[in-house]
Amino acid sequence: MKMSNSINQEIGTRRDEKYRHIYVVIEHFEGQVVPVSLEMLGEARRLMDDFNQKYQLREKVVAVLLGSDVRKLCDELVTYGADAVIYANHDELKYPRNDIDTRVIVQIAMDAKITKEIEPEYAGTFVKPRYMFFAADNIGRHLSSTVLADLESGLASDINKLVISDLDIRHEHKTKGQTVRYEKILEMYRPDFSGFLWTTILCLDNKNPEIQREYHPQGCSIIPGAFKPIDKDDSRDGTVVEYSPKIDQEPKIKIIKRSVIEKTIDYETCKIVVSMGRGIKDNPEQNIKLIEEFAELLGAEIGITLPLSKKPYQVSQSMDSKYMSPDRVIGTSGSKISPTLYVAIGLSGAVQHIAGMKESEIVISINIDENSPIVDESDIFIKGRMEDVIPKLVEKIKDQMQAISVRST
Amino acid sequence: MLNVGVIIKLEPDFSEGNVSYNSDGTLNRAETKNILGPHSAIACNAAFYCKVKYGARISIGTMGPPIAESALKQAQVLTDAEELNLYSDRLFAGADTLATAEVLKNGVEKMFGADKMDIVFSGHRASDGETGQTGPQTAWKLGYTFLGNVMDFDIDLDRKVIVAKRLISLQGMDTIIEEIECPLPVFITIDPSYKSAFSTVSQRLGANKYSKQGRKKSENYAQFLKTYDSQKLDLDPKLVGLPGSPTIVYRVERIPRAKTNRKTAIIDPSNPDNLTPVVTKIIEIARGK
Ligand SMILES: Cc1cc2nc3c(=O)[nH]c(=O)nc-3n(C[C@H](O)[C@H](O)[C@H](O)COP(=O)(O)OP(=O)(O)OC[C@H]3O[C@@H](n4cnc5c(N)ncnc54)[C@H](O)[C@@H]3O)c2cc1C
Ligand SMILES: Nc1ncnc2c1ncn2[C@@H]1O[C@H](COP(=O)(O)O)[C@@H](O)[C@H]1O
């Protein structure tokens, strides 16, 4: 009994003012803001508007931007929803490098002085950001890890839905088995490996007096393409603040060369994409050949689901190196495409896959299972085995094409 | 001689035929076999490459229950490791990545009797669903320079410097290969595209020799195994397991199907005539109308 009193008292007296704002770590590339950064700003904007209304507060969406010549990108971030931009210009920050970027971002996150220019009302109590967003990509995934390791707080990866709420939590360790109200908690939704289950992850202070500890910011990395940016609004106001980073030690990582690799597959300009998934399993080699023939006939490019990139089947080496490779993955871990026609063959339509193809104009699927979620994302669903359906389609296409060309000559 | 560490993980085997699902489509963990994770195996290959090419002692570490020994054994086959370390304690259970990294940091610091490490490798991410956060968080706690997405590397033994190629691909942007240089020690998460190639005859002979040796050693892997609990690792119990984890899993639910604007026509292909309109549509698009 005594226990629960002391916990509740502690909640009642803490005004929760040490932690403020959503910090969004921006990525840019060759002078352009990377799309996922604008998507994160959009989601942060929506969350913060509701948050401020609900709690009668004036917390901000703060974009954090590092580079060597990035002042020119700041205004764009404001038009896409940032209330404030903290940017650091330094020659050493030209390209992303984990060691130095982590130090500078941590400096910015811990700097109470700079928050005075963002929201003077809270500057006196500011200790750390309340929430922090990163992109779940090659750069952000690792940067979020090292930044949160340094700030000693929690991080959830690959998130595609966010909600802020007050929750009554009862947890063996966090609350010593008592029910305790946590306020302003970020519910971070993460689709699992199957793409059909959502796990909600929370980053919570330990309120159990024996292991008491505060965990802020509540951090996450966000899947590219999961959220929509807000409409660009040139009339939005925002504060742009320059931060002078303390770079006292020379960065260990030296960049010698950066070279662009030509994309071998161009999904952007091709009208038709034919994708295959684990449904090829009964006879992988033969099925890939079928799909190859079908795609060639239509002048289509071939895509795959993530599991196929992990080479789960034995197929001939040339097929393996041609098709089962990561640069053909459609979805959040690969390309996001919007062809005129998308043909989904033997794939179930996991959320991560749908995110990559839902902008297609017309979707045709071939699948044995009417309950696969890909049904909902299809205009035409051909219910059958690919082994039977594709040969029929190929034959009919050949016939019709011939008929058309005969007529036109 | 380099001191090379690898942190590895025992994971459910997701390859075809080995994975078992419950009727609701979720993974049946009890039925599914556990193996050395595929990305951990790639990290092992990179360590083995160091052994063949530059001469290295290899130490493998994993945090997990006692059955994780089997992953250490598999890793020894791949690397001819001199040392296998199991970090196992009931206090570690339920750890999120921050609490896992805390254990692994102290584990790496004790490799080879606390000799200094030159390189530590981790996998890109655990099987399908995991986070990819453990490596960089361990690196940061160790104070080693972290290099992510490394596809290829070379070491200059005299200068104690690594030259590495990294893959940078951001959605919607060109893919970049970045060549970097960095003094040792470094912590590397190895990119899935990494391939260790032994180009010279003497390297191929060396690879053969160490492979054989590794297989042999692994038959008596227990001889090479050291087991550590939280005390032996000098860990603060408040920083590991559930108490040391900022995050919790609050809820697991089915993802509701997304609402779409598409009106799905379901077609039965057993009557080929049903396919005619589909084919007409496909040809129309292929011809650019
Ligand atoms: C962080 C993260 C990121 C991810 N990113 C991606 C991503 O970018 N892209 C991606 O695709 N996945 C991604 N995934 C994986 C995703 O969650 C699913 O696991 C994956 O998309 C499933 O692939 P699938 O549809 O090929 O296989 P399954 O889900 O196994 O589906 C196979 C389908 O084939 C059908 N089928 C079987 N036999 C036949 C037959 N003979 N003829 C016709 N149909 C048949 C079945 O009915 C079933 O619908 C990611 C997962 C995580 C955790
Ligand atoms: N319990 C663990 N013990 C040792 N290494 C681990 C452990 N968990 C994760 N790792 C390493 O970190 C990589 C990424 O795992 P994860 O962060 O879980 O996706 C794995 O491929 C391993 O190399």
Side-chain angles (χ1 to χ4, degrees):
Chain A
M1 270 300 102
K2 204 154 167 263
M3 183 36 249
S4 105
N5 271 341
S6 73
I7 287 186
N8 284 329
Q9 244 165 26
E10 189 253 332
I11 310 303
T13 50
R14 219 184 81 204
R15 292 305 304 150
D16 212 25
E17 292 194 338
K18 290 192 257 178
Y19 310 114
R20 296 287 181 190
H21 315 303
I22 303 182
Y23 279 41
V24 180
V25 176
I26 303 296
E27 289 178 9
H28 56 95
F29 185 82
E30 313 278 311
Q32 252 184 298
V33 176
V34 172
V36 60
S37 295
L38 301 182
E39 294 160 14
M40 291 195 288
L41 284 178
E43 183 62 10
R45 180 75 271 143
R46 286 182 285 268
L47 287 167
M48 221 10 132
D49 286 345
D50 290 351
F51 175 99
N52 284 334
Q53 200 181 15
K54 177 171 169 193
Y55 297 108
Q56 293 298 303
L57 290 169
R58 289 216 301 270
E59 298 197 13
K60 307 291 183 194
V61 173
V62 181
V64 177
L65 178 63
L66 313 184
S68 61
D69 178 23
V70 286
R71 173 63 188 86
K72 58 180 194 267
L73 299 177
C74 295
D75 299 332
E76 184 186 357
L77 300 176
V78 172
T79 62
Y80 277 101
D83 296 306
V85 183
I86 303 177
Y87 74 98
N89 259 341
H90 195 290
D91 285 345
E92 297 285 10
L93 298 173
K94 182 162 186 195
Y95 297 115
R97 277 183 293 178
N98 182 272
D99 54 348
I100 183 167
D101 292 358
T102 304
R103 286 201 183 86
V104 174
I105 290 168
V106 168
Q107 282 170 23
I108 291 174
M110 304 283 286
D111 196 312
K113 256 195 289 174
I114 203 154
T115 59
K116 207 183 281 175
E117 298 178 51
I118 294 167
E119 177 51 74
E121 193 189 331
Y122 305 138
T125 54
F126 178 93
V127 175
K128 281 186 206 174
R130 186 188 291 285
Y131 312 115
M132 221 163 165
F133 296 175
F134 296 80
D137 60 21
N138 267 196
I139 301 294
R141 178 181 308 283
H142 296 147
L143 191 59
S144 59
S145 306
T146 47
V147 168
L148 269 299
D150 195 281
L151 296 174
E152 298 183 354
S153 190
L155 175 64
S157 76
D158 303 282
I159 298 306
N160 73 345
K161 177 177 168 181
L162 292 164
V163 176
I164 295 171
S165 49
D166 300 338
L167 300 171
D168 290 323
I169 303 284
R170 201 170 140 181
H171 188 272
E172 185 192 342
H173 293 270
K174 293 276 175 195
T175 69
K176 207 177 177 186
Q178 307 288 318
T179 302
V180 175
R181 168 141 293 213
Y182 282 76
E183 283 184 8
K184 309 181 186 82
I185 295 303
L186 188 63
E187 296 184 43
M188 304 180 272
Y189 286 71
R190 174 172 203 274
D192 81 332
F193 61 89
S194 69
F196 304 117
L197 288 182
W198 242 340
T199 304
T200 306
I201 295 166
L202 310 177
C203 170
L204 299 176
D205 295 344
N206 290 353
K207 295 194 175 178
N208 175 349
E210 284 156 28
I211 51 168
Q212 190 146 10
R213 204 177 158 89
E214 292 181 17
Y215 289 120
H216 278 82
Q218 304 170 47
C220 66
S221 64
I222 289 176
I223 298 179
F227 297 111
K228 284 212 159 49
I230 61 166
D231 293 332
K232 187 174 163 70
D233 178 357
D234 290 320
S235 67
R236 281 186 47 85
D237 274 334
T239 320
V240 175
V241 198
E242 177 161 14
Y243 184 82
S244 310
K246 290 175 277 301
I247 298 182
D248 35 20
Q249 70 197 89
E250 209 186 321
K252 296 244 168 66
I253 304 171
K254 291 207 168 45
I255 298 172
I256 305 169
K257 198 165 91 192
R258 282 164 64 92
S259 33
V260 177
I261 42 175
E262 293 292 324
K263 284 219 170 82
T264 43
I265 312 141
D266 181 9
Y267 289 117
E268 257 146 63
T269 59
C270 75
K271 273 187 306 192
I272 307 181
V273 175
V274 174
S275 283
M276 55 186 168
R278 276 199 286 229
I280 62 168
K281 64 179 184 306
D282 288 346
N283 193 344
E285 178 115 11
Q286 200 52 43
N287 284 332
I288 296 174
K289 276 196 193 130
L290 279 178
I291 290 163
E292 206 173 24
E293 187 190 1
F294 178 60
E296 252 167 42
L297 202 57
L298 307 177
E301 204 36 279
I302 291 181
I304 60 171
T305 60
L306 186 70
L308 291 204
S309 73
K310 300 187 171 164
K311 310 182 193 301
Y313 309 108
Q314 290 286 353
V315 290
S316 77
Q317 237 186 8
S318 65
M319 246 181 214
D320 185 280
S321 58
K322 192 159 176 205
Y323 296 122
M324 316 295 247
S325 81
D327 49 349
R328 286 196 188 259
V329 173
I330 306 297
T332 55
S333 312
S335 299
K336 195 178 169 201
I337 58 172
S338 48
T340 316
L341 173 63
Y342 188 76
V343 187
I345 304 179
L347 61 84
S348 59
V351 270
Q352 300 96 341
H353 188 81
I354 301 275
M357 50 65 72
K358 63 171 186 241
E359 308 292 333
S360 309
E361 214 175 297
I362 297 172
V363 177
I364 300 179
S365 322
I366 305 172
N367 199 305
I368 48 172
D369 180 6
E370 238 171 299
N371 294 317
S372 282
I374 190 67
V375 172
D376 300 335
E377 208 47 71
S378 308
D379 300 287
I380 299 171
F381 182 87
I382 307 175
K383 183 177 181 315
R385 288 166 50 81
M386 67 176 84
E387 290 87 345
D388 308 327
V389 177
I390 303 174
K392 284 185 193 159
L393 284 176
V394 167
E395 189 190 341
K396 274 187 166 287
I397 290 170
K398 281 185 182 157
D399 286 354
Q400 278 205 32
M401 277 186 164
Q402 211 168 21
I404 295 169
S405 59
V406 169
R407 244 183 286 141
S408 57
T409 48
Chain B
M1 177 80 91
L2 294 167
N3 283 337
V4 174
V6 191
I7 56 168
I8 59 149
K9 195 173 174 189
L10 184 75
E11 295 166 17
D13 181 359
F14 282 99
S15 64
E16 210 52 43
N18 292 316
V19 61
S20 165
Y21 293 99
N22 298 316
S23 52
D24 63 352
T26 58
L27 179 73
N28 181 340
R29 289 203 177 258
E31 288 283 308
T32 299
K33 224 173 73 180
N34 287 310
I35 53 159
L36 174 69
H39 291 292
S40 294
I42 302 176
C44 287
N45 294 340
F48 186 67
Y49 177 80
C50 293
K51 181 165 216 159
V52 172
K53 192 150 178 207
Y54 310 106
R57 292 197 292 168
I58 297 176
S59 181
I60 315 269
T62 190
M63 181 190 96
I67 48 156
E69 267 182 41
S70 66
L72 291 170
K73 182 180 174 186
Q74 287 174 55
Q76 191 171 38
V77 174
L78 295 178
T79 57
D80 184 31
E82 282 58 27
E83 188 179 272
L84 307 175
N85 307 288
L86 176 67
Y87 315 124
S88 197
D89 194 314
R90 288 172 62 178
L91 292 177
F92 300 162
D96 72 359
T97 58
L98 195 72
T100 303
E102 183 69 19
V103 173
L104 294 175
K105 174 200 70 173
N106 283 22
V108 169
E109 281 174 344
K110 293 203 158 30
M111 283 177 170
F112 296 130
D115 220 2
K116 251 183 64 198
M117 302 305 286
D118 295 299
I119 309 179
V120 179
F121 292 101
S122 81
H124 178 61
R125 48 161 67 199
S127 299
D128 280 12
E130 300 300 325
T131 67
Q133 293 169 183
T134 310
Q137 296 211 316
T138 306
W140 194 259
K141 284 177 180 261
L142 281 164
Y144 287 18
T145 314
F146 175 77
L147 307 177
N149 297 96
V150 169
M151 312 161 66
D152 196 10
F153 63 90
D154 241 312
I155 294 161
D156 183 334
L157 286 175
D158 299 330
R159 288 166 57 224
K160 287 249 169 190
V161 160
I162 185 166
V163 178
K165 286 206 176 91
R166 306 186 337 111
L167 184 73
I168 300 177
S169 89
L170 308 176
Q171 196 168 59
M173 303 283 150
D174 285 331
T175 303
I176 297 276
I177 302 233
E178 191 178 70
E179 211 177 302
I180 53 156
E181 196 184 273
C182 183
L184 303 178
V186 288
F187 190 109
I188 290 180
T189 71
I190 204 84
D191 194 78
S193 65
Y194 172 81
K195 294 242 162 14
S196 46
F198 298 112
S199 46
T200 66
V201 175
S202 71
Q203 279 173 19
R204 278 197 289 268
L205 289 174
N208 269 338
K209 181 181 102 190
Y210 292 128
S211 280
K212 253 188 226 138
Q213 217 165 279
R215 248 173 286 140
K216 192 123 199 255
K217 272 188 195 161
S218 74
E219 285 162 20
N220 296 310
Y221 76 95
Q223 262 184 298
F224 302 88
L225 182 69
K226 296 192 179 130
T227 304
Y228 293 85
D229 60 12
S230 64
Q231 265 185 352
K232 275 200 206 153
L233 287 174
D234 305 315
L235 283 161
D236 176 349
K238 285 190 186 132
L239 297 183
V240 301
L242 283 165
S245 298
T247 63
I248 64 163
V249 170
Y250 178 59
R251 188 192 304 126
V252 179
E253 69 199 294
R254 299 222 85 180
I255 301 177
R257 294 208 179 171
K259 286 200 184 62
T260 67
N261 296 324
R262 300 186 199 271
K263 286 205 188 67
T264 314
I266 297 190
I267 292 196
D268 173 8
S270 54
N271 176 357
D273 287 347
N274 293 345
L275 291 174
T276 310
V278 182
V279 167
T280 310
K281 187 89 210 160
I282 293 176
I283 293 179
E284 206 179 284
I285 295 167
R287 301 217 154 179
K289 279 189 215 145

